[in-house]
Amino acid sequence: MITMKDIIREGHPTLRKVAEEVAFPLAQKDIELGEEMMTFLKNSQDPEKAEELQLRGGVGLAAPQLDISKRIIAVHVPSGDLENPEPVLSAVMYNPKIISHSVQDACLSDGEGCLSVDREVPGYVVRHSRITLTYYDAAGEKQKKRLKNYEAIVVQHEIDHLNGIMFYDHINADNPYSLKDGVLVIE
């Protein structure tokens, strides 16, 4: 079971490397890794399990954060709706690739956080507001998804990890809260 002690922190060289694509058919260990990453996210969002296992809440996790330089991400974005608790996005993605994106940019009003970063990093992290991506699932089936706003931002954050990019690399160092006209600020 993945816990916080398995997650490497900023400064570790693996977080700055470009991860390797995974080969298909997937090795059993890569399938199990994806399942364990998803279990971590679900546990981190369950208040009782998170407290018991001392997990920080997360909606995404990339294999490089576990010191495994492979192009594997897991995302589990809850709906936040108690009436309809089905997650709005829940997938393990192998070799995810953004194939197109919107001209419009977006950012989260509260900035971004990361399980590999143990400090607050103030500022807007500007990303594309809409993306289309392809990836493979554990069965080796190619998937294509269109995402917008929060879900698009989560996936871009995780794909950045596969490319050795940290979220704060996107923050304007001179003026962390400056935005160009037209950037959508998501509450």
Side-chain angles (χ1 to χ4, degrees):
M1 180 191 302
I2 297 170
T3 64
M4 290 305 295
K5 71 176 176 15
D6 299 306
I7 296 174
I8 59 176
R9 302 307 202 270
E10 63 180 321
H12 192 291
T14 301
L15 290 173
R16 289 299 188 177
K17 282 181 17 193
V18 174
E20 300 287 322
E21 289 211 339
V22 288
F24 285 88
L26 285 175
Q28 188 59 34
K29 67 180 186 198
D30 290 336
I31 294 171
E32 289 168 8
L33 174 62
E35 290 168 354
E36 286 181 29
M37 290 165 65
M38 183 60 76
T39 299
F40 171 89
L41 294 175
K42 290 177 179 177
N43 286 344
S44 82
Q45 294 174 24
D46 176 321
E48 287 174 14
K49 280 223 186 323
E51 186 176 343
E52 173 195 334
L53 301 169
Q54 297 184 323
L55 305 179
R56 278 177 42 204
V59 291
L61 185 63
Q65 293 178 274
L66 301 168
D67 200 13
I68 299 168
S69 195
K70 291 184 176 181
R71 299 186 81 77
I72 305 170
I73 65 173
V75 289
H76 187 74
V77 180
S79 68
D81 182 351
L82 296 175
E83 303 280 310
N84 181 12
E86 281 299 303
V88 289
L89 177 61
S90 186
V92 176
M93 302 178 182
Y94 296 88
N95 300 337
K97 190 174 285 165
I98 295 171
I99 56 170
S100 67
H101 61 79
S102 60
V103 172
Q104 183 177 35
D105 287 332
C107 65
L108 302 178
S109 62
D110 294 339
E112 291 182 22
C114 179
L115 294 166
S116 292
V117 179
D118 291 330
R119 61 191 173 97
E120 291 279 319
V121 182
Y124 290 131
V125 180
V126 178
R127 301 184 181 278
H128 307 298
S129 65
R130 290 181 304 285
I131 60 170
T132 301
L133 80 151
T134 59
Y135 65 91
Y136 292 88
D137 62 22
E141 301 286 321
K142 190 170 190 177
Q143 305 289 330
K144 184 175 177 181
K145 272 198 190 319
R146 286 188 173 83
L147 301 172
K148 65 181 185 179
N149 301 339
Y150 185 68
E151 293 80 38
I153 286 172
V154 169
V155 169
Q156 288 172 86
H157 177 115
E158 298 312 323
I159 289 176
D160 270 358
H161 278 303
L162 305 181
N163 295 318
I165 299 167
M166 300 295 284
F167 76 90
Y168 48 74
D169 297 344
H170 295 283
I171 297 173
N172 179 331
D174 298 328
N175 189 348
Y177 289 102
S178 71
L179 287 176
K180 290 187 224 146
D181 286 345
V183 174
L184 177 67
V185 179
I186 300 166
E187 292 301 322

